[in-house]
Amino acid sequence: MPTPHLEPSAPCPCGRACTYADCCKPLHDGAAAPDAEALMRSRYVAYVRRDADYLRASWHASTRPDDLRFDDPPPVWLGLDVKAHDVIDADRAEVAFVAKYRIGGGSVVRMRERSRFVREAGHWFYVDGDLG
């Protein structure tokens, strides 16, 4: 499935007060995330864009799914609220967030997760998370 286009001058869907070009686009283009929170925000935007390649590339090899498919009908992502970015040590961190979405005309769903990240060879990777 093709990745929906997001204009570089558009507000970044991750919730930061800047454009997509100045925020998550460089990570989607291959730049290393400066920290786990930036990676998590860029992964949220990848879900908005339905960018399975980026999601798989930013997923740690130990937990990465063999295939990543999106639901149909696709959710409409409505916003991201980062609740905490906890640095455990130089190469491990956790990010707690709430992501809101809606499917079709249904009610808004609030997905809460505490995600775990590791840094290897200068790159952050999503490992797994606890929903709650």
Side-chain angles (χ1 to χ4, degrees):
M1 165 172 269
T3 303
H5 182 70
L6 183 59
E7 287 295 327
S9 60
C12 194
C14 82
R16 288 196 165 142
C18 52
T19 65
Y20 173 58
D22 292 331
C23 194
C24 291
K25 186 177 186 316
L27 279 64
H28 292 164
D29 290 343
D35 56 34
E37 180 182 345
L39 181 67
M40 192 280 310
R41 287 178 179 277
S42 73
R43 286 177 54 83
Y44 170 83
V45 176
Y47 276 102
V48 170
R49 297 179 63 229
R50 298 172 63 98
D51 186 348
D53 291 340
Y54 180 79
L55 289 165
R56 290 193 78 254
S58 61
W59 212 312
H60 193 266
S62 67
T63 57
R64 180 185 308 132
D66 291 333
D67 190 25
L68 184 61
R69 297 185 188 268
F70 296 99
D71 295 331
D72 270 327
V76 175
W77 293 95
L78 303 171
L80 176 69
D81 183 12
V82 174
K83 299 295 188 181
H85 174 209
D86 300 319
V87 176
I88 297 167
D89 60 33
D91 295 318
R92 293 183 305 141
E94 294 183 354
V95 178
F97 66 91
V98 176
K100 294 184 289 187
Y101 66 91
R102 177 188 323 263
I103 296 176
S107 299
V108 172
V109 176
R110 287 171 177 77
M111 183 186 90
R112 293 169 173 78
E113 183 173 319
R114 176 168 279 281
S115 299
R116 285 175 283 281
F117 297 85
V118 296
R119 183 169 53 183
E120 294 179 352
H123 290 270
W124 285 97
F125 295 93
Y126 169 79
V127 177
D128 61 15
D130 297 321
L131 296 173

